[in-house]
Amino acid sequence: AAAPAAIAECAELAARCRAGDLGGYERLFALHGARMKNVARNLLGSPMDAEDAVRETFLKVQRSIASFRGQSSFVTWTYRILINTCYDARRSRKRKKEVANEDSEDSRRPEPRAPGAHPSLRMALERALATLTKHQRDVFLLYEVEGFHHAEIAGMLEITETASKNTLFQAKKNLRQVLEPPGGNSALGPR
């Protein structure tokens, strides 16, 4: 559960944004912009696409603030818009890729790599993550990489908290099968 001060600040942000106060949006960006970019980069794989998704999210929040009813926290609602924007970008990219592949078989561009990791480890992790369903990958990245709690993920992905936990468990199980050498130990923790 969120602390009372965090809940009050979230409610204040919602009220300021609903009133059209630019300072409310600036505060929202100051508090969550970097994390939103990280989430979008993890979902989309590209820093440029992530920047576009965050920018589009803020435009959507501004256009639809009147529809915010407070059924979830304002911040969770904002992240839900971000995730939907990323899903839209994925679908758009997929359609463009399909059209480009029809035009030219040489149109594949390499996926961006995670900075700082050893190239072979990074490639192994990227291959392992690619074996997960999009839903499993999203829950795994939101929980393990971004540090969101299951309750927050549930609100963002419009699933139950139990579904988030079960999806994370299945994602880890699948990753363990891909990454763990036969009879060896995994870096994903105890079974």
Side-chain angles (χ1 to χ4, degrees):
I7 293 170
E9 183 171 28
C10 188
E12 179 192 345
L13 275 177
R16 289 178 68 188
C17 291
R18 185 175 278 131
D21 179 0
L22 185 58
Y25 290 104
E26 289 171 348
R27 181 77 178 139
L28 179 64
F29 185 79
L31 291 172
H32 299 280
R35 193 172 191 192
M36 290 173 75
K37 286 178 191 174
N38 284 337
V39 168
R41 188 182 68 248
N42 282 321
L43 295 176
L44 298 173
S46 160
M48 256 181 23
D49 291 344
E51 295 257 345
D52 291 344
V54 170
R55 201 172 7 260
E56 179 68 20
T57 297
F58 273 85
L59 290 172
K60 288 178 179 179
V61 167
Q62 186 178 21
R63 285 191 301 253
S64 59
I65 187 69
S67 69
F68 175 66
R69 300 283 177 239
Q71 294 162 333
S72 64
S73 82
F74 178 63
V75 172
T76 298
W77 181 76
T78 301
Y79 276 97
R80 178 72 209 146
I81 292 171
L82 172 68
I83 288 169
N84 283 336
T85 300
C86 291
Y87 288 167
D88 291 345
R90 276 185 189 166
R91 283 188 292 273
S92 175
R93 186 187 311 157
K94 185 177 178 183
R95 283 191 297 271
K96 287 178 184 174
K97 192 180 285 187
E98 288 170 358
V99 169
N101 284 341
E102 290 173 7
D103 294 341
S104 166
E105 291 299 319
D106 298 328
S107 63
R108 299 182 108 183
R109 97 182 167 193
E111 287 293 314
R113 298 182 198 180
H118 188 275
S120 60
L121 174 61
R122 188 172 46 233
M123 287 173 31
L125 289 171
E126 287 175 3
R127 278 194 302 271
L129 285 171
T131 66
L132 300 177
T133 66
K134 282 185 171 124
H135 183 66
Q136 288 174 349
R137 183 177 187 272
D138 293 347
V139 171
F140 179 83
L141 291 171
L142 288 169
Y143 186 85
E144 293 294 341
V145 176
E146 297 302 328
F148 286 105
H149 299 287
H150 287 291
E152 295 169 309
I153 295 168
M156 290 176 207
L157 300 181
E158 295 180 330
I159 59 176
T160 65
E161 196 171 335
T162 300
S164 177
K165 290 175 183 178
N166 289 340
T167 302
L168 179 65
F169 174 81
Q170 190 62 49
K172 286 182 174 182
K173 180 179 171 187
N174 293 347
L175 287 172
R176 191 174 288 113
Q177 290 172 350
V178 172
L179 292 171
E180 188 174 84
N185 289 330
S186 165
L188 294 176
R191 294 179 185 202

